[in-house]
Amino acid sequence: QRRLLTLEEQGADRLFSEPVLNLDDLMQTDADGRGVINLLAADTLMQSPALYSAFLLWLLAELFEQLPEVGDPDKPKLVLFFDEAHLIFDDAPKVLLDKIEQVVRLIRSKGVGVYFVTQNPTDIPDSVLGQLGNRIQHALRAYTANDQKALKAAADTFRANPDFDTREALTSMGVGEALVSTLDEKGRPQVVQQTLIKPPKSQIGPISDAQRQQLMAQSLVAGVYDKVLDRESAHELLAQRAEQMKADAVQEAALKAEKKPAGRQRESVMEAFAKSAMRSIGSQIGRRLVRGLLGSLLGSK
């Protein structure tokens, strides 16, 4: 009798027996108590938007499950920046978008801030965009009709400032300038302000391979996440169990064959004669003999 085996029966609990995400590694502080920036090189991950979306949801879900409730803190304990955010939402199924919206909305009570970095706010679904309180928008260029629509949509996401035209500001800002909108003490979006962003005191552009290796070697978690861990998947475990069941079935059949009774020790004269005749059927005499025997047997009945 066949039946479906659960993952627990297959031993798939080994897949999740060890924690994958250590929150202490994400919330490191230096000797002065300042936070440490961790960078995830997702070059390959971004080439698979569906996998990138699933990774985002898994990461936020892990944080939501492990972190305690802190209410509404003045500053978040952890801030996540997801670059090229349009890859997360492109062709994403609705059920995944709903889950991302739900987690983004609830994770604020855990002291976690989430920023989506993309070229245009229209790259983010309205349901998710509505959960984002702080917005920083650099200049946009509108050369086509679609660009004009995107520009208007971006301007409409801000609370208007009577001192300037938001739509005009978006197209006239220079390098380093941005429109910024944050929440006030009561959680309401403030009017948009045009500001000059202070450039970061760091290297602009990608680092070299040598720089990356040096930074990884100096990291507090060096040797923890840079090792490839190829765990057995549920599919592999199920395949192994199926092969084992097949081998057990073959062995059981062999044992049954060995224990089977010998049966009749002596064949009847007619059975022995018939087998001997069939072995000689290749010859003309044999074929005639068989036809004659069959005819006489049928006639006798």
Side-chain angles (χ1 to χ4, degrees):
Q1 182 180 3
R2 297 182 179 179
R3 64 187 180 92
L4 293 177
L5 300 176
T6 64
L7 290 179
E8 182 178 358
E9 291 174 316
Q10 298 297 334
D13 54 319
R14 288 180 295 166
L15 295 173
F16 314 103
S17 59
E18 299 179 2
V20 179
L21 179 64
N22 189 341
L23 296 184
D24 293 335
D25 295 337
L26 290 180
M27 299 182 178
Q28 301 174 34
T29 55
D30 59 14
D32 299 327
R34 296 177 300 180
V36 176
I37 298 176
N38 294 281
L39 300 178
L40 172 64
D43 311 63
T44 305
L45 187 63
M46 286 183 175
Q47 297 177 11
S48 302
L51 182 59
Y52 191 33
S53 300
F55 165 75
L56 164 64
L57 183 60
W58 168 82
L59 178 60
L60 295 178
E62 283 291 309
L63 293 172
F64 184 78
E65 290 292 332
Q66 298 187 37
L67 290 175
E69 290 280 349
V70 295
D72 189 15
D74 295 335
K75 294 182 180 180
K77 297 185 297 183
L78 175 67
V79 179
L80 301 174
F81 292 86
F82 293 96
D83 197 9
E84 302 294 344
H86 66 279
L87 296 176
I88 299 175
F89 304 105
D90 285 350
D91 300 326
K94 186 177 185 301
V95 61
L96 182 59
L97 294 179
D98 292 341
K99 286 298 182 181
I100 293 177
E101 175 192 353
Q102 180 184 20
V103 175
V104 169
R105 181 175 66 252
L106 298 176
I107 204 170
R108 281 182 279 180
S109 63
K110 303 285 188 171
V112 177
V114 179
Y115 284 81
F116 294 105
V117 184
T118 186
Q119 297 292 332
N120 197 302
T122 57
D123 295 334
I124 303 175
D126 292 338
S127 58
V128 178
L129 191 62
Q131 304 299 326
L132 307 180
N134 302 327
R135 303 181 186 182
I136 302 174
Q137 178 65 59
H138 290 278
L140 291 174
R141 302 293 180 254
Y143 300 108
T144 66
N146 290 333
D147 292 341
Q148 292 289 341
K149 293 180 181 179
L151 176 63
K152 183 180 184 303
D156 292 341
T157 59
F158 291 101
R159 182 180 174 185
N161 189 329
D163 294 336
F164 61 89
D165 183 87
T166 304
R167 187 172 179 178
E168 177 66 25
L170 282 174
T171 59
S172 61
M173 289 187 300
V175 177
E177 293 182 290
L179 297 182
V180 178
S181 176
T182 59
L183 302 178
D184 60 18
E185 296 178 353
K186 296 184 178 181
R188 299 171 299 187
Q190 297 179 330
V191 295
V192 61
Q193 300 291 340
Q194 184 174 349
T195 63
L196 182 64
I197 304 297
K198 183 179 181 181
K201 295 181 179 179
S202 62
Q203 174 179 318
I204 303 298
I207 62 176
S208 63
D209 293 338
Q211 289 175 307
R212 175 175 295 185
Q213 293 300 326
Q214 181 180 3
L215 292 173
M216 291 174 60
Q218 297 173 350
S219 173
L220 297 177
V221 292
V224 178
Y225 296 103
D226 53 352
K227 296 180 180 179
V228 177
L229 180 61
D230 186 10
R231 297 185 175 185
E232 289 182 301
S233 66
H235 172 75
E236 291 173 327
L237 291 174
L238 290 172
Q240 291 176 8
R241 176 58 64 89
E243 289 295 329
Q244 184 61 43
M245 293 176 63
K246 182 179 179 180
D248 293 343
V250 172
Q251 184 178 5
E252 183 179 356
L255 293 176
K256 289 182 178 179
E258 293 178 359
K259 297 179 180 179
K260 187 176 180 180
R264 294 175 297 175
Q265 298 297 324
R266 297 180 61 184
E267 296 178 311
S268 64
V269 176
M270 184 59 68
E271 288 175 340
F273 189 79
K275 290 183 179 180
S276 177
M278 291 301 295
R279 283 194 293 266
S280 61
I281 197 172
S283 64
Q284 185 177 5
I285 298 177
R287 288 195 296 270
R288 292 179 179 177
L289 179 61
V290 171
R291 286 198 298 269
L293 286 173
L294 291 176
S296 61
L297 289 175
L298 292 174
S300 63
K301 292 181 179 180

